């Protein structure tokens, strides 16, 4: 038996700045995870459908347009609605400090802002992966 | 737990299908029981393999094929295989990027699959995953191979028919392809047919095919010219796929291929099972270093050592 952690990286919303998302995808691949890269301008519905088809353990959302307070919680809500209760959602992008606690209340378990060392993201996945091993 | 999963799969529930594929990929202990339980529900889907060099437009073409098949109300599942890093085991799976418009269509299921060290263009989990999708009631299951070259022939042992996608401008590529992957193609596609030299490529393929089929009467591999980006030639291609499939059913090729598939599968299972038992019996994990040292110190030689072990196993078997 060989369990692999699968992570979906996607950008909800309308901004096209995918450098960060691509960097994270690449770095997570180098850390040994299987990364499904979905790219820019995805609706929460499409992200959730993909997460379920791909049976991912984590969903990473990147957003720089300012619509994070609407779109990030919507992804979590739809995942739960579909019965995907075990999928862990995290986010990244230009997100003001004061929004982070709100997002965490809404079920986004970690928010990584610009300048975060990639090691922090990997640590987050490593400390939480036990929860998703099924 | 298995009963619930099986039930979910045969009712076409996405979460059950997705979880079952993960079980197969992760090689969980319940995997065999799951596949056996699904087995009676398999055998209805058409299985298409798509292969071809990187950048030939396999995913974009597949996107168009899905579009056509959806118009005909077919349910489609895709297994898109990408390579795992041999160094970290990680992977970036990006094939579905080109098929995004089908994401929210309930009649389409797309799953990205990392090769996880398996060679031959597909993943070790691909053939069992096809069974899950078959049992789930998809009409067409498409396997998109990694797309790296001539040794990518395993898809032939999983699919009913194989479509080889080529593009102009690869230079001598087609020469190199002659021996390997060229031989496994049933249907040939010259994609990016809007480019110059597309006709020359078609002529080259015709030439190679002519050499191949010279002494096989009645075998004809069609060649289609498409442009996935300009959406031309797709309907002809999809019609061609259906016609080819029908012909395969009529002339017995399909039955032959499915028989060969079972043959290969049984051999594979036998080998894997025996190997596991042998390693357990010989305690290879613990003893391997000792044997290596013996060989390096010239106390014995590789064949001699292993033949002794084999005799030991056979003796044990007889006594039982």
């Amino acid at each position: 038996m060989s369990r692999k952690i699968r992570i979906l990286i996607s950008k909800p919303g309308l901004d096209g700045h995918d450098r960060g998302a691509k960097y994270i995808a690449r770095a997570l691949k180098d850390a040994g995870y299987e990364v499904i890269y979905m790219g820019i301008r995805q609706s929460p519905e499409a992200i959730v459908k993909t997460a379920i088809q791909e049976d991912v353990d984590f969903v990473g959302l990147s957003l720089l347009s300012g619509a994070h307070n609407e779109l990030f919680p919507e992804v979590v809500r739809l995942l739960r609605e579909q019965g995907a209760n075990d999928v862990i959602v995290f986010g990244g992008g230009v997100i003001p400090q004061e929004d982070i606690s709100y997002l965490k209340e809404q079920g986004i378990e970690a928010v990584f802002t610009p300048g975060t060392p990639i090691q922090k993201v990997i640590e987050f996945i490593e400390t939480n992966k036990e929860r998703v091993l099924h | 737990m298995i009963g619930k999963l099986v039930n979910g799969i045969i009712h076409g529930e996405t979460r059950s299908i997705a979880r079952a594929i993960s079980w197969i990929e992760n090689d969980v202990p319940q995997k065999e029981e799951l596949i056996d339980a699904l087995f009676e529900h398999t055998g209805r889907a058409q299985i298409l393999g798509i292969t071809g060099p990187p950048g030939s437009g396999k995913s974009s073409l597949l996107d168009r094929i899905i579009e056509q098949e959806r118009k005909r109300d077919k349910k489609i599942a895709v297994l898109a295989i990408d390579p795992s890093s041999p160094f970290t085991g990680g992977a970036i799976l990006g094939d579905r990027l080109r098929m995004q418009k089908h994401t929210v269509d309930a009649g389409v299921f797309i799953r990205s699959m990392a090769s996880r060290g398996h060679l031959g263009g597909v993943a070790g989990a691909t053939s069992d995953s096809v069974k899950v999708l078959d049992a789930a009631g998809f009409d067409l299951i498409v396997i998109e191979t990694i797309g790296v070259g001539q040794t990518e022939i395993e898809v032939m042992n999983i699919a009913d028919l194989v479509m080889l996608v080529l593009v102009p401008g690869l230079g001598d590529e087609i020469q190199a392809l002659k021996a390997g992957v060229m031989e496994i193609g049933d249907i040939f596609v010259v994609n990016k047919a809007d480019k110059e030299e597309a006709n020359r490529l078609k002529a080259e393929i015709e030439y190679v095919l002519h050499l191949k089929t010279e002494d096989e009467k009645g075998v004809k591999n069609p060649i289609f010219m498409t442009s996935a980006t300009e959406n031309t030639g797709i309907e002809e291609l999809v019609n061609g796929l259906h016609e080819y499939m029908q012909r395969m059913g009529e002339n017995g090729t399909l039955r032959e291929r499915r028989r060969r598939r079972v043959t290969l599968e049984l051999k594979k299972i036998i080998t894997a099972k025996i190997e596991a038992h042998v390693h357990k019996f010989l305690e290879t994990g613990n003893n391997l270093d000792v044997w290596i040292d013996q060989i390096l110190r010239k106390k014995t030689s590789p064949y001699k050592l292993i033949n002794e072990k084999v005799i030991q196993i056979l003796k044990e078997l007889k006594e039982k």
Side-chain angles (χ1 to χ4, degrees):
Chain A
M1 185 168 167
S2 54
R3 182 71 163 83
K4 275 260 171 221
I5 294 293
R6 289 167 68 86
I7 305 167
L8 178 68
I9 297 292
S10 187
K11 279 186 59 60
L14 297 176
D15 76 280
H17 305 280
D18 58 0
R19 197 168 174 274
K22 280 181 172 158
Y23 171 72
I24 293 280
R26 173 80 198 265
L28 293 178
K29 173 208 148 200
D30 289 342
Y33 306 115
E34 288 183 0
V35 180
I36 292 96
Y37 183 70
M38 237 188 122
I40 58 172
R41 300 197 180 105
Q42 298 296 323
S43 68
E45 291 79 11
I47 292 170
V48 168
K49 283 237 171 189
T50 303
I52 289 172
Q53 289 184 357
E54 299 286 353
D55 195 23
V56 293
D57 307 296
F58 291 84
V59 172
L61 303 169
S62 162
L63 196 144
L64 293 92
S65 72
H68 46 268
N69 281 346
E70 289 73 38
L71 295 172
F72 285 7
E74 183 63 3
V75 170
V76 177
R77 192 186 69 77
L78 288 171
L79 275 170
R80 304 304 177 240
E81 193 181 279
Q82 299 285 316
N85 299 309
D86 45 355
V87 178
I88 296 172
V89 180
F90 63 97
V94 189
I95 291 161
Q97 206 56 42
E98 57 265 33
D99 290 347
I100 292 178
S101 54
Y102 170 75
L103 291 173
K104 286 194 171 164
E105 274 166 34
Q106 299 298 310
I108 291 90
E109 297 201 19
V111 177
F112 302 102
T113 49
T116 309
I118 188 66
Q119 206 49 44
K120 287 262 178 229
V121 184
I122 294 168
E123 266 167 34
F124 167 75
I125 289 161
E126 285 301 305
T127 42
N128 286 287
K129 72 175 188 191
E130 288 305 319
R131 286 165 48 203
V132 292
L133 293 179
H134 40 70
Chain B
M1 178 68 189
I2 287 192
K4 204 178 145 215
L5 197 59
V6 169
N7 202 39
I9 292 165
I10 58 180
H11 286 94
E13 273 172 38
T14 309
R15 268 176 64 77
S16 301
I17 299 166
R19 184 54 50 90
I21 294 174
S22 299
W23 277 24
I24 294 164
E25 285 196 296
N26 297 329
D27 202 15
V28 304
Q30 309 96 307
K31 179 188 90 173
E32 293 180 6
E33 199 186 331
L34 171 74
I35 299 296
D36 280 346
L38 291 173
F39 193 70
E40 61 169 316
H41 303 283
T42 62
R44 279 170 297 198
Q46 296 186 332
I47 307 161
L48 168 69
I50 298 187
T51 188
S56 57
K58 294 185 291 294
S59 303
S60 306
L61 196 61
L62 179 50
D63 176 59
R64 295 296 189 186
I65 293 174
I66 295 172
E67 218 172 85
Q68 280 290 328
E69 293 284 29
R70 288 302 291 149
K71 279 186 202 162
R72 302 168 195 209
D73 225 21
K74 293 262 179 78
K75 280 179 72 189
I76 300 151
V78 176
L79 294 174
I81 297 112
D82 269 325
S84 297
S85 158
F87 303 107
T88 65
I92 289 194
L93 311 168
D95 284 331
R96 60 180 309 141
L97 261 173
R98 316 232 179 275
M99 298 176 244
Q100 266 173 11
K101 60 174 168 293
H102 306 292
T103 305
V104 289
D105 179 348
V108 180
F109 178 95
I110 301 169
R111 177 67 174 242
S112 318
M113 206 170 237
S115 63
R116 299 196 183 178
H118 192 85
L119 302 173
V122 296
T126 306
S127 71
D128 278 341
S129 298
V130 166
K131 288 181 197 149
V132 172
L133 298 167
D134 191 350
F138 289 99
D139 301 299
L140 177 69
I141 299 165
V142 187
I143 302 158
E144 185 189 331
T145 73
I146 296 176
V148 280
Q150 300 171 53
T151 55
E152 260 193 28
I153 51 175
E154 203 184 316
V155 67
M156 174 177 79
N157 301 331
I158 304 172
D160 293 327
L161 80 165
V162 176
M163 184 174 109
L164 177 61
V165 185
L166 295 166
V167 279
L170 291 173
D172 285 341
E173 196 82 354
I174 186 147
Q175 298 298 326
L177 284 167
K178 257 193 232 172
V181 80
M182 206 60 193
E183 284 173 29
I184 69 158
D186 295 297
I187 287 194
F188 291 78
V189 177
V190 176
N191 194 31
K192 309 190 185 178
D194 48 315
K195 276 196 177 180
E196 267 178 65
E197 296 194 0
N199 283 318
R200 214 187 85 200
L201 175 62
K202 188 180 180 217
E204 277 181 75
I205 298 171
E206 274 166 354
Y207 173 68
V208 176
L209 288 178
H210 176 69
L211 295 179
K212 175 188 152 190
T213 55
E214 214 167 18
D215 32 43
E216 296 172 56
K217 280 197 192 82
V219 183
K220 186 115 176 78
N221 300 102
I223 307 170
F224 294 94
M225 309 284 280
T226 62
S227 165
T229 44
E230 299 193 357
N231 202 8
T232 54
I234 310 295
E235 205 174 335
E236 292 83 350
L237 169 62
V238 173
N239 287 338
L241 282 169
H242 286 294
E243 276 162 31
Y244 198 89
M245 200 70 179
Q246 200 184 345
R247 210 160 56 234
M248 282 175 65
E250 285 162 7
N251 65 20
T253 320
L254 189 61
R255 207 168 44 241
E256 247 169 64
R257 284 196 185 176
R258 290 190 168 176
R259 192 176 174 86
R260 194 190 57 191
R261 198 186 304 158
V262 176
T263 313
L264 292 169
E265 188 184 9
L266 288 185
K267 282 187 184 168
K268 204 173 85 186
I269 296 173
I270 291 171
T271 311
K273 293 275 168 188
I274 290 180
E275 195 181 315
H277 281 298
V278 167
H279 285 314
K280 207 170 146 195
F281 178 81
L282 294 177
E283 294 179 59
T284 312
N286 293 330
N287 294 325
L288 195 61
D289 271 337
V290 179
W291 298 341
I292 294 167
D293 284 337
Q294 287 174 355
I295 286 166
L296 290 176
R297 279 191 268 112
K298 307 279 189 217
K299 300 265 188 216
T300 182
S301 55
Y303 283 119
K304 184 164 176 268
L305 180 113
I306 298 303
N307 280 330
E308 280 166 15
K309 303 291 171 201
V310 171
I311 289 167
Q312 206 183 321
I313 295 168
L314 293 174
K315 221 172 114 191
E316 188 87 1
L317 274 175
K318 254 185 209 160
E319 278 163 16
K320 278 184 186 170

